[in-house]
Amino acid sequence: RGARRRRRAVSGTPGRAAAWGAAAAAGFLFCLPIVTHTSLPYGSDLGFASHSGLGFVQALAEGVLYPRWVDNTNMGFGGPTFIFYCPLAYYLLGAAHALTGDLISAFRLALVIVSVLTALSFFAAARPLTSRWGAVLGAAVYTLAPYHALDLYDRFAYAELASFIWFPPLFLFTRRLLAGRSPGAWLGLTLCYAGLLFTHLVTAYMVLFVLAPYGLLHAARGRRWGRLLPAAGAGAAALLLAAVFLIPMLAQRDEVHMEWVVDAPYGDWRRNFVYRDEVAHGYTPANIKPWVNRAATTQGGLALAAILVLAARGAWRRRGGGGELATDEAAWEAAAHAGLAAWTFFLQIPPSAWIWRLVPELPTVQFPWRFSLFQALAAAFLAACAVAPVAGGSAPVSRLPRWAAAPLAALRGGRGPALAALLIGVAAVPSLLLTARIATKPDRPYMFNADALGDARVRHRVMDEYLPRDMEGWRAFAAAPVTLGVPARFSGPGTVQVEAWTTHRRELLLETPVDDRLLVRTFHHPGWKAWLDGEPVPIDADNPLHAITVAVPAGRHELRLAFGATPDRRLGATISLAALATILASAAALRLRRRQVG
């Protein structure tokens, strides 16, 4: 009975199902305001997420397996949004829409699923390092972090919020791969990074600034430098899996104004460091700035508190006088994440500007405070490790003053994990209060409902970066009030009857007394093809708007337009399918070989 009690104390008091349930409850708690309101918080990115989601869901309902064109955007001229924007979170939205029947409810359901999966993924990644209670505590810290609240309740950055699911398992599989103890770690790392690439490209780039030093630390620990090569190979394999998205995006980025990502006033990275006085540097203050400053501060304070608790518990003990860290897994993870907490905080503050200037494509991240995401992740891992059973410290408690000896003895004794959890919980209070304040900010009211979604300014909003590069006066077009026109028109007296108009297809009946040119209210982009009376005809864009025009001879005709595959999209799909088949076949062969050896 005593041995069973000791094992229970090490593994954590709750049962396995209860621990998983508690972690899931933390994710549900994060979305509680979403659940209790019938409308969404009017975040700054909600207009993009909603009108893009609307086009994606409509295309799925029409049978398009990989929607790339959003028909309702840009005043009804459409745009190639999902050639350049990751689709995976919107597939989840489409599944939720199939269950709920309306987009607002679909977003609410998808957000609950994302939040619960985020908490569960952290629990699974932290569980090998700590007790069940410690993993639950870390999952709650991670899911309820202020930066996550900003992403949902202030920005409504839907895809970025979905990307949080992938970061904990990326650390888990990187650790296992570099330790060489898990045969499935390479496959897990590959699939998780590919999932992140399909979910949110910006954070897929940012995570390399965290995983690379983390991997180097683990390789240095065991002097397993050769294990870095399989880790790099996993990243390369993930890129191949994501080729169906990445290759068309890279091939067609010159067709649109992707430079607007960094040219937009809000996207200038130099203004977006935490604690930077924007007014003193000539910028208009952003409403979000005080909140990201508080998020970085409270998350950093929580990480520091966890480090102090770990130090007090003796998690980093000296041995042999050589000053080496303890070799148990939790101590190494705590040390690694303490370094990552400092590193990700540094990337958010002005002294890191030289890195932002030096590293290619880093300015496209736009907001240095985005690294607050990984600061929150490091703080959560530190909190989880602080609750893990650890070896005693180097300094005997008896040598310390009486006022310090008693609490240290309690921290290092049998009740140490529970006391550490209590201290971490107290240290997390400022972060939790900040999260609660962000979720109830009056400037982001829960007013986005079906009526707001039907507003032309939302439904047909202009996306500057997806306007055609050859369009004349694109800035004036973007600044103009949203107006809608006829689907198609001749320059002369001809008539147009719309037979079908879907997200990726148009069918028109035309009649013109003279040879004329038809202008279709659709921007010309690679992939659009036309058939007149069943025969392919060329498409032009000989107008200032760079909209589709087709030469039509006199008479009655049927015109069909379709947005289909291009050579780069076919190449990307081929590479992705070949990579997936190769990876799965190799994994199956390896599994079969192990069974035979066993």
Side-chain angles (χ1 to χ4, degrees), residues 242-266:
V244 66
F245 163 66
L246 295 175
I247 287 182
M249 180 202 67
L250 294 173
Q252 298 180 30
R253 65 184 302 173
D254 290 339
E255 298 284 339
V256 294
H257 290 277
M258 289 303 294
E259 73 280 358
W260 182 250
V261 172
V262 292
D263 288 347
Y266 60 83

Side-chain angles (χ1 to χ4, degrees), residues 54-73:
L54 180 65
F56 197 89
V57 166
Q58 287 178 340
L60 286 176
E62 293 163 6
V64 181
L65 296 180
Y66 187 167
R68 297 185 189 260
W69 189 264
V70 174
D71 182 57
N72 47 285
T73 193

Side-chain angles (χ1 to χ4, degrees), residues 238-562:
L239 291 171
L240 293 176
L241 285 174
V244 66
F245 163 66
L246 295 175
I247 287 182
M249 180 202 67
L250 294 173
Q252 298 180 30
R253 65 184 302 173
D254 290 339
E255 298 284 339
V256 294
H257 290 277
M258 289 303 294
E259 73 280 358
W260 182 250
V261 172
V262 292
D263 288 347
Y266 60 83
D268 187 346
W269 60 271
R270 291 166 294 188
R271 67 175 294 184
N272 291 318
F273 287 106
V274 295
Y275 311 134
R276 166 154 282 179
D277 186 345
E278 293 174 281
V279 176
H281 287 78
Y283 297 106
T284 303
N287 292 335
I288 197 174
K289 192 60 175 295
W291 299 96
V292 297
N293 291 344
R294 293 166 192 162
T297 302
T298 56
Q299 291 173 177
L302 178 57
L304 182 59
I307 291 170
L308 293 176
V309 170
L310 282 160
R313 295 195 63 210
W316 294 299
R317 58 185 172 87
R318 305 279 181 177
R319 62 172 186 162
E324 297 177 86
L325 286 172
T327 55
D328 67 80
E329 203 70 25
W332 269 96
E333 282 302 303
H337 285 283
L340 292 178
W343 168 239
T344 52
F345 178 73
F346 174 72
L347 288 173
Q348 299 178 63
I349 58 178
S352 67
W354 64 272
I355 297 176
W356 288 79
R357 292 190 184 94
L358 183 65
V359 178
E361 298 296 328
L362 190 55
T364 61
V365 172
Q366 297 180 310
F367 312 112
W369 46 255
R370 261 181 165 155
F371 278 98
S372 190
L373 156 62
F374 300 105
Q375 182 193 30
L377 181 63
F381 269 115
L382 285 166
C385 290
V387 185
V390 294
S394 59
V397 172
S398 59
R399 296 182 185 177
L400 297 174
R402 183 176 299 179
W403 61 268
L408 280 181
L411 274 171
R412 297 177 184 179
R415 299 181 182 273
L419 184 55
L422 177 62
L423 293 174
I424 295 297
V426 171
V429 168
S431 290
L432 295 176
L433 291 176
L434 180 59
T435 294
R437 287 187 64 192
I438 292 169
T440 56
K441 286 172 59 180
D443 61 331
R444 296 299 186 197
Y446 291 78
M447 295 178 59
F448 193 88
N449 52 23
D451 291 337
L453 181 62
D455 190 319
R457 292 169 296 180
V458 174
R459 193 181 188 94
H460 302 292
R461 64 176 287 170
V462 174
M463 295 301 302
D464 304 64
E465 58 265 46
Y466 302 140
L467 293 175
R469 181 171 294 278
D470 293 332
M471 176 183 182
E472 297 178 16
W474 67 278
R475 291 185 183 273
F477 180 89
V482 173
T483 56
L484 300 176
V486 296
R489 58 180 173 81
F490 284 107
S491 58
T495 60
V496 179
Q497 180 181 340
V498 177
E499 290 290 294
W501 189 286
T502 63
T503 57
H504 288 60
R505 184 172 57 87
R506 291 96 169 83
E507 293 182 6
L508 308 173
L509 293 180
L510 312 175
E511 185 171 0
T512 174
V514 295
D515 294 353
D516 205 345
R517 299 193 68 80
L518 180 76
L519 186 145
V520 183
R521 195 175 181 84
T522 300
F523 285 136
H524 185 28
H525 190 85
W528 279 108
K529 296 179 177 61
W531 294 263
L532 191 66
D533 299 326
E535 296 295 325
V537 292
I539 289 178
D540 294 314
D542 51 355
N543 57 87
L545 289 173
H546 200 71
I548 289 175
T549 57
V550 178
V552 180
R556 301 188 60 172
H557 305 279
E558 294 181 0
L559 177 68
R560 182 166 65 91
L561 296 163

Side-chain angles (χ1 to χ4, degrees), residues 47-370:
F48 168 77
S50 60
H51 93 273
S52 299
L54 180 65
F56 197 89
V57 166
Q58 287 178 340
L60 286 176
E62 293 163 6
V64 181
L65 296 180
Y66 187 167
R68 297 185 189 260
W69 189 264
V70 174
D71 182 57
N72 47 285
T73 193
N74 293 328
M75 302 192 200
F77 283 90
T81 302
F82 289 100
I83 289 176
F84 304 100
Y85 204 78
C86 305
L88 188 55
Y90 288 88
Y91 277 111
L92 174 61
L93 183 67
H97 186 271
L99 294 174
T100 61
D102 73 275
L103 196 68
I104 304 300
S105 298
F107 266 118
R108 295 168 64 218
L109 177 58
L111 288 168
V112 171
I113 293 172
V114 163
S115 299
V116 171
L117 288 179
T118 297
L120 294 180
S121 75
F122 186 94
F123 178 85
R127 182 63 188 91
L129 304 172
T130 185
S131 65
R132 287 176 185 156
W133 271 128
V136 170
L137 176 64
V141 168
Y142 179 55
T143 311
L144 297 169
Y147 180 80
H148 291 192
L150 282 172
D151 250 18
L152 174 54
Y153 295 104
D154 189 284
R155 299 177 62 208
F156 205 91
Y158 170 62
E160 183 173 319
L161 195 75
S163 72
F164 301 162
I165 297 170
W166 300 109
F167 301 123
L170 281 173
F171 279 86
L172 172 66
F173 289 122
T174 299
R175 181 171 71 246
R176 288 181 173 177
L177 180 60
L178 293 173
R181 294 196 301 262
S182 175
W186 188 89
L187 180 62
L189 182 59
T190 299
L191 295 179
C192 284
Y193 192 58
L196 179 58
L197 287 167
F198 276 116
T199 304
H200 195 247
L201 196 58
V202 172
T203 51
Y205 176 55
M206 290 171 61
V207 77
L208 300 178
F209 291 84
V210 187
L211 276 183
Y214 178 79
L216 289 172
L217 283 173
H218 271 276
R221 171 192 173 188
R223 294 181 175 85
R224 297 187 180 98
W225 301 108
R227 302 297 301 176
L228 292 174
L229 188 58
L239 291 171
L240 293 176
L241 285 174
V244 66
F245 163 66
L246 295 175
I247 287 182
M249 180 202 67
L250 294 173
Q252 298 180 30
R253 65 184 302 173
D254 290 339
E255 298 284 339
V256 294
H257 290 277
M258 289 303 294
E259 73 280 358
W260 182 250
V261 172
V262 292
D263 288 347
Y266 60 83
D268 187 346
W269 60 271
R270 291 166 294 188
R271 67 175 294 184
N272 291 318
F273 287 106
V274 295
Y275 311 134
R276 166 154 282 179
D277 186 345
E278 293 174 281
V279 176
H281 287 78
Y283 297 106
T284 303
N287 292 335
I288 197 174
K289 192 60 175 295
W291 299 96
V292 297
N293 291 344
R294 293 166 192 162
T297 302
T298 56
Q299 291 173 177
L302 178 57
L304 182 59
I307 291 170
L308 293 176
V309 170
L310 282 160
R313 295 195 63 210
W316 294 299
R317 58 185 172 87
R318 305 279 181 177
R319 62 172 186 162
E324 297 177 86
L325 286 172
T327 55
D328 67 80
E329 203 70 25
W332 269 96
E333 282 302 303
H337 285 283
L340 292 178
W343 168 239
T344 52
F345 178 73
F346 174 72
L347 288 173
Q348 299 178 63
I349 58 178
S352 67
W354 64 272
I355 297 176
W356 288 79
R357 292 190 184 94
L358 183 65
V359 178
E361 298 296 328
L362 190 55
T364 61
V365 172
Q366 297 180 310
F367 312 112
W369 46 255
R370 261 181 165 155

